[in-house]
């Protein structure tokens, strides 16, 4: 019997709609499994800012830091919701947590489920065997090109008044210049790359399939990337039985689409990871299928990758599976962190519920070629999940 403190941040737009479906899964766990959750829901984001002038209620960051075993986030970002400094309102709720809680590994699985059609050719097609697409992209989450915005957002969340980052001069450029430094540190690279190798080892023992770890960078051009690759090479020597690869980000995007079967675990600096994961999601049926985990040594936050999608908000039509799969990642990671066999089992059963729903032709939203709405898909998967949990636990 394990009890976890779960903080839920529905956020903006379709984030709220998909979180409602993710919470059906949490309710199923409450009733039909040994796990239980103390849920605290906190309103936040750009829309909340437009209504209240605050990104979230005071004390929210501290609640996430001090009273949460896991955080589940919908999406942050709303058109015209800007802070006085021009940053997106709500940044402290997502970037402030990534930085302020040191959630250094942004883990984004890319897996094509049987029964899901991708649209790489512009039409729905199941020409690829699902088994060819099964990888995890791990995006460095606390530095790189996001560093200054991450810091600003964390300072806002923590209420710190530290000095802003100093500006340098750029000889050869004239007039107004805006720039974002892209610092990459040895320690920041070390921890996320090590996380990648450890995850590869876990995937290998679970699946029995040999795992490849690929380092994606632009070390032919950028000094930060040279350090990232150097650290990768040093760590790879500690894992002599793991196959490793290097790819420059430009070539990687081509190989990713052309030969997805070549990739198992991929580590990338922050912005490259942001871009590559949206691209990679097409291989799994689109952003509506893309879940993520933001993991640090003391905290973890789970979120669908798709964002608030303002143009679909309020229509009840977006795919809730990315949010439901984010709950699956939460269970898996609670299992690892707390050595909790029930959390691990409940995560595996949720994966089976999603797998069987899709492979048996269960209802889907428009992005997968179906015509069901968000609630219908969420309800169907949670009912299936309840039945599978019951079967296992009674
Ligand atoms: C993501 C999103 C965020 C990011 C935005 C909403 C700040 O695109 O999680 O990939 O850029 O990291
Ligand atoms: Mn993104």
């Amino acid at each position: 019997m394990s009890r976890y403190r779960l903080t839920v941040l529905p956020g903006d737009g379709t984030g709220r709609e998909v979180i409602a479906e993710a919470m059906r899964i949490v309710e199923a766990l409450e009733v039909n499994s040994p796990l239980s959750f103390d849920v605290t829901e906190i309103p936040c984001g750009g829309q909340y800012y437009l209504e209240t002038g605050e990104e979230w209620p005071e004390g929210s960051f501290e609640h996430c830091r001090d009273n949460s075993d896991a955080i589940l986030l919908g999406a942050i970002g709303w058109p015209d919701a800007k802070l006085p400094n021009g940053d997106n309102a709500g940044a402290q709720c997502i970037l402030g947590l990534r930085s302020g809680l040191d959630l250094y590994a942004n883990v984004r699985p890319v897996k094509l489920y049987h029964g899901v059609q991708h649209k790489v050719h512009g039409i729905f097609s199941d020409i690829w065997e699902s088994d060819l697409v099964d990888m995890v992209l791990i995006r460095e989450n606390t530095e790189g090109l996001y560093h200054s915005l991450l810091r600003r957002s964390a300072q806002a969340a923590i209420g710190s008044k530290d000095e802003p980052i100093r500006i340098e001069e750029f000889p050869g450029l004239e007039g107004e210049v805006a720039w974002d430094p892209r610092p990459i540190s040895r320690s920041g690279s070390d921890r996320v790359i090590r996380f990648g190798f450890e995850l590869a080892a876990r995937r290998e023992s679970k699946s029995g399939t040999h795992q490849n770890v690929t380092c994606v960078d632009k070390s032919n051009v950028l000094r930060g990337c040279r350090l990232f690759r150097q650290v990768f090479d040093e760590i790879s020597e500690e894992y002599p039985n793991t196959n490793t690869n290097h790819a420059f980000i430009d070539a990687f995007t081509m190989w990713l689409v052309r030969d997805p079967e070549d990739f198992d675990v991929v580590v990338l600096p922050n912005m490259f990871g942001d871009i590559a994961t949206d691209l990679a999601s097409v291989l799994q049926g689109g952003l509506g299928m893309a879940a993520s985990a933001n993991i640090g040594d003391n905290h973890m936050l789970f979120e669908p990758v798709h964002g608030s999608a303002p143009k679909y908000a309020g229509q009840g039509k977006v795919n809730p599976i990315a949010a439901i799969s984010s709950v699956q990642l939460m269970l898996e990671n609670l299992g690892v962190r707390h050595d909790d066999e029930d959390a691990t089992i409940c995560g595996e059963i949720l994966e089976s519920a999603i797998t069987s729903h899709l492979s048996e032709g269960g209802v889907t939203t428009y992005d997968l070629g179906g015509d069901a709405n968000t609630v219908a898909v969420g309800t169907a998967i949670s009912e299936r999940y309840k039945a599978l949990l019951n079967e296992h636990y009674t």
Side-chain angles (χ1 to χ4, degrees), residues 76 94-95 98 106 108 139 146 274 277-278 303 305:
I76 296 291
I94 168 69
L95 300 173
R98 286 182 187 167
N106 192 325
R108 300 183 160 185
R139 162 185 178 190
Y146 279 67
D274 178 47
T277 51
D278 272 28
E303 53 171 333
V305 179

